[in-house]
Amino acid sequence: MSREQLVVERARRAFQTGMSKPLKFRVHQLKNLHRFITERRKDIADAVNKDLNKTEHSTELFETLGLEGEIDVAVERLAEWAAPRPVEKSLLTILDEVYIQPEPLGVVLIIGAWNYPWAVTLQPLVAAIAAGNAAVVKPSEVSSHSAKVMEELLPLYLDKELYPVVCGGVSETQELLRQRFDHIFYTGNSTVGKLVMEAAARHLTPVTLELGGKSPCYIDKDVDLRVACRRITWGKFVNCGQTCIAPDYILCEPSIQDRVVEEIRKCITEFYTDDPKSFEDYGRIINQRHFQRVMSLLEGSTVAIGGDSDQSQCYIAPTVLKDVTGGSKVMQEEIFGPLLPIVTVSGVDEAIQFINEREKPLALYVFSPDNKVKTIETSSGALVANDCLVHFTVSALPFGGVGNSGMGRYHSQHGFDQLSHLRACLIKKLNLEDANAMRYPPHTAKKLGWARFFLLKRVNLRRLRRMALLALFSAMTAFIVQYRLDIWTGVHVRWTIVQVR
């Protein structure tokens, strides 16, 4: 057996003991995970700094803070999520117990990404633990320092058999994908996503693919450009542009292009000073291969801001490109770096057409004071009006893509449900067999006649309840009106008698 096969087999044997299913155990593991993040905050920050040149403040803001919040919600709401969920009954099953019971899937494989090596790897783990699964965690080898810390320290806090960490490169990942899992959760690009899905298909394993794509950002000419460009600048250049939901390109009318460029120029200076290279809170490209890939995307485009680079440090300055067309090289793939192209369109209709002619993005950003423009007719994993990235911080919102940007979702209960089997349950008693005869062949249930047809026919019980409540309300209203009328009639009769006398 390979090392990866042994790890998976141990996790499956541990899961089959049933130890991961009790809610008390799940809560205990979640609290241990929270303790890991709290006690090892410095180790995590140092690793991310070595991988991506992020400061401790940035690591807390974009990695650990959200994780702690996700764990807190899971601990608080787990009993509610895991409880049986009653459903509407038919007349045939009105005396039965009918409900949905969330159950663990089994052994889950979580393949993390390097751009946010802790947040996008451990958030799915929170959902896996909460749902009662075992989980094999495979951090990205690209963010090697974070992967090493995770491999060495996480087993000190979580059950080693149920939640092992497997490090390694392409060959180790391929070997893991040869094993049978009950669910695979992958975060990364669509090219590798297709390989993951192909490997999963051999075992008919369901997948959650958190991919990416070119997330558009439309700017209406009537919006406050100062505010819009400030928020876009933050969303684009945080983590050196290496964010799957970063605005990938801007769509705006030609009349405001130069003003957009100038406003972004001011914001870059405000956020990163006149020399972003020496500013401690401006990141670096993850490695030389990605540096060269991002730099090659500049070919054939006009640089309006930035463009400076230093290969020895994997540094690329915040860069804005203007007069970009749909055929430009920078528009052929997800940028995943600090380049922001501006494509001019005649208005919102052309912007919609431009977006809909391309693959469905993970996020769509719209900056406009017009509510109609904010809900433009497109398809995307998320729609955010007048801000960037912040939807990721709302645990009540499902996070996930559509089409080429992914499938499935997570965060809070959405992640719990994604990594659970929502089992349909019907519990019937052994009495009332005469009533049950209606479902048997006609010669057995011939005495039931029209009742058989009526009870087996699909009935909208919610509508019947509404009708019953309406009838009850009408009867009560009629009674009250009649009662008041009787009182009024009695008073009137007495008054008439007094008058006659």
Side-chain angles (χ1 to χ4, degrees), residues 361-417:
L362 187 54
L364 169 62
Y365 302 107
V366 180
F367 286 83
S368 173
D370 187 347
N371 286 328
K372 291 182 180 179
V373 174
K374 293 173 188 173
T375 56
I376 58 180
E377 296 180 1
T378 57
S379 179
S380 59
L383 169 68
V384 180
N386 299 327
D387 211 340
C388 295
L389 312 189
V390 293
H391 62 290
F392 186 85
T393 67
V394 183
S395 61
L397 287 175
F399 182 83
V402 58
N404 203 63
S405 59
M407 62 182 69
R409 64 208 56 81
Y410 69 118
H411 282 187
S412 192
Q413 187 175 353
H414 305 289
F416 176 90
D417 287 351

Side-chain angles (χ1 to χ4, degrees), residues 12 31 134 171 197 215 230 305 331 357 446 467 476 492 501:
R12 188 167 297 283
K31 288 182 176 179
S171 61
M197 196 169 183
S215 296
R230 200 166 191 272
I305 303 172
M331 293 300 293
E357 286 174 349
K446 58 186 178 182
M467 291 173 63
M476 290 179 64
H492 181 69
R501 289 177 179 174

Side-chain angles (χ1 to χ4, degrees), residues 10 65 121 134 159 233 259 295 361 413 427 436 471 489:
R10 282 199 299 267
L65 206 60
T121 305
D159 187 279
T233 302
R259 291 169 57 202
M295 288 302 296
Q413 187 175 353
I427 312 300
N436 288 333
T489 302

Side-chain angles (χ1 to χ4, degrees), residues 68-349:
E68 290 172 320
E70 191 81 3
I71 295 170
D72 289 340
V73 171
V75 169
E76 180 184 345
R77 305 286 296 279
L78 183 57
E80 175 188 337
W81 297 346
R85 305 174 188 181
V87 297
E88 190 170 355
K89 304 177 186 180
S90 67
L91 290 176
L92 182 63
T93 60
I94 199 164
L95 298 178
D96 306 325
E97 292 182 63
V98 185
Y99 57 91
I100 296 169
Q101 178 63 63
E103 291 191 340
L105 288 171
V107 183
V108 176
L109 172 62
I110 298 171
I111 305 177
W114 54 262
N115 57 326
Y116 292 94
W118 295 90
V120 300
T121 305
L122 295 190
Q123 280 208 13
L125 179 60
V126 172
I129 294 172
N133 299 295
V136 177
V137 180
K138 170 60 180 68
S140 173
E141 71 279 7
V142 178
S143 50
S144 58
H145 297 91
S146 293
K148 184 178 180 181
V149 170
M150 199 176 296
E151 181 184 37
E152 292 178 352
L153 300 183
L154 194 59
L156 302 179
Y157 293 82
L158 297 182
D159 187 279
K160 298 176 184 178
E161 302 291 315
L162 283 169
Y163 315 111
V165 178
V166 177
C167 283
V170 174
S171 61
E172 287 79 7
T173 304
Q174 289 175 336
E175 181 61 25
L176 278 173
L177 289 172
R178 291 189 188 100
Q179 312 309 314
R180 184 177 70 82
F181 289 93
D182 299 289
H183 197 98
I184 298 176
F185 197 112
Y186 168 75
T187 303
N189 61 63
S190 58
T191 302
V192 178
K194 293 174 184 177
L195 298 176
V196 170
M197 196 169 183
E198 182 181 351
R202 289 194 287 269
H203 299 288
L204 293 179
T205 299
V207 296
T208 298
L209 302 178
E210 297 297 340
L211 307 178
K214 298 185 74 63
S215 296
C217 181
Y218 175 71
I219 304 178
D220 191 334
K221 65 180 180 180
D222 296 323
V223 80
D224 185 331
L225 286 181
R226 183 187 65 84
V227 174
C229 291
R230 200 166 191 272
R231 296 177 182 181
I232 293 168
T233 302
W234 171 77
K236 176 62 184 182
F237 298 114
V238 70
N239 200 30
C240 203
Q242 298 167 120
T243 304
C244 60
I245 51 174
D248 192 90
Y249 62 94
I250 288 174
L251 293 170
C252 68
E253 295 184 29
S255 61
I256 65 170
Q257 180 180 210
D258 289 341
R259 291 169 57 202
V260 168
V261 170
E262 287 309 307
E263 289 295 338
I264 293 177
R265 188 192 306 276
K266 294 175 188 175
C267 293
I268 290 173
T269 302
E270 178 190 351
F271 293 166
Y272 305 112
T273 74
D274 290 323
D275 184 17
K277 184 178 180 181
S278 63
F279 186 63
E280 67 171 3
D281 210 23
Y282 183 71
R284 295 294 185 269
I285 301 299
I286 186 68
N287 57 29
Q288 290 288 331
R289 181 173 66 86
H290 281 280
F291 173 87
Q292 293 170 2
R293 179 191 63 80
V294 175
M295 288 302 296
S296 71
L297 298 178
L298 286 168
E299 295 174 12
S301 295
T302 302
V303 176
I305 303 172
D308 304 331
S309 65
D310 183 344
Q311 186 171 351
S312 66
Q313 293 189 25
C314 288
Y315 166 78
I316 300 176
T319 299
V320 177
L321 310 174
K322 69 176 185 177
D323 299 323
V324 175
T325 67
S328 300
K329 187 173 181 180
V330 74
M331 293 300 293
Q332 304 312 305
E333 63 179 73
E334 183 181 6
I335 296 169
F336 224 65
L339 311 182
L340 182 57
I342 301 177
V343 179
T344 56
V345 290
S346 60
V348 66
D349 291 335

